[in-house]
Amino acid sequence: QVQLAESGGGLVQPGESLTLSCGVSGIVSAANAAGWYRQPPGNQRELVAAIRTGGRTNYADSVKGRFTISRDNGWKTVYLQMNSLKPEDTGDYYCTLGTFMGADYYPNTGWGPGTQVTVSS
């Protein structure tokens, strides 16, 4: 069973950067994609970035050009580099492993505890 542990969140001012990390434990031999989700306060969880084997990435329009998803070769750590943060980036961030079907990413793991990001002046 795969377990996920997100870290790296915090309180930052608009325009600043954060790097989130997701530690993956358990058997991940079947993983071929990973994603980061964001859940703003009072809103539903949304996919913000995903990466597949080979390095191809997808981003939500709201974070394109500011966020970068990456991973290590063994799918043991997934990163989310977040630059030029805005107040609307505030939320709890979660990672998953999953797969792509066509252009769409589907998680196939449970959820970790998440890490909180607050962007405020």
Side-chain angles (χ1 to χ4, degrees):
Q1 183 175 354
V2 173
Q3 292 186 322
L4 304 161
E6 302 89 349
S7 62
L11 171 63
V12 296
Q13 295 188 344
E16 293 186 337
S17 299
L18 277 175
T19 300
L20 306 184
S21 298
C22 174
V24 182
S25 60
I27 299 173
V28 297
S29 57
N32 57 29
W36 279 96
Y37 287 77
R38 171 173 70 197
Q39 186 166 17
N43 287 281
Q44 292 185 338
R45 204 168 291 178
E46 58 182 352
L47 180 67
V48 296
I51 185 169
R52 66 186 85 191
T53 300
R56 185 174 176 181
T57 56
N58 291 38
Y59 296 96
D61 288 343
S62 60
V63 307
K64 279 181 182 176
R66 300 188 298 120
F67 288 15
T68 303
I69 186 172
S70 61
R71 64 169 183 92
D72 67 1
N73 288 334
W75 295 102
K76 287 295 188 179
T77 309
V78 185
Y79 304 95
L80 186 67
Q81 173 68 42
M82 307 187 294
N83 298 327
S84 302
L85 283 162
K86 304 176 180 180
E88 50 264 43
D89 295 318
T90 294
D92 294 322
Y93 284 72
Y94 303 86
C95 69
T96 64
L97 298 184
T99 189
F100 273 87
M101 295 181 64
D104 296 323
Y105 172 78
Y106 294 91
N108 56 25
T109 59
W111 301 99
T115 187
Q116 188 174 59
V117 173
T118 302
V119 185
S120 175
S121 55

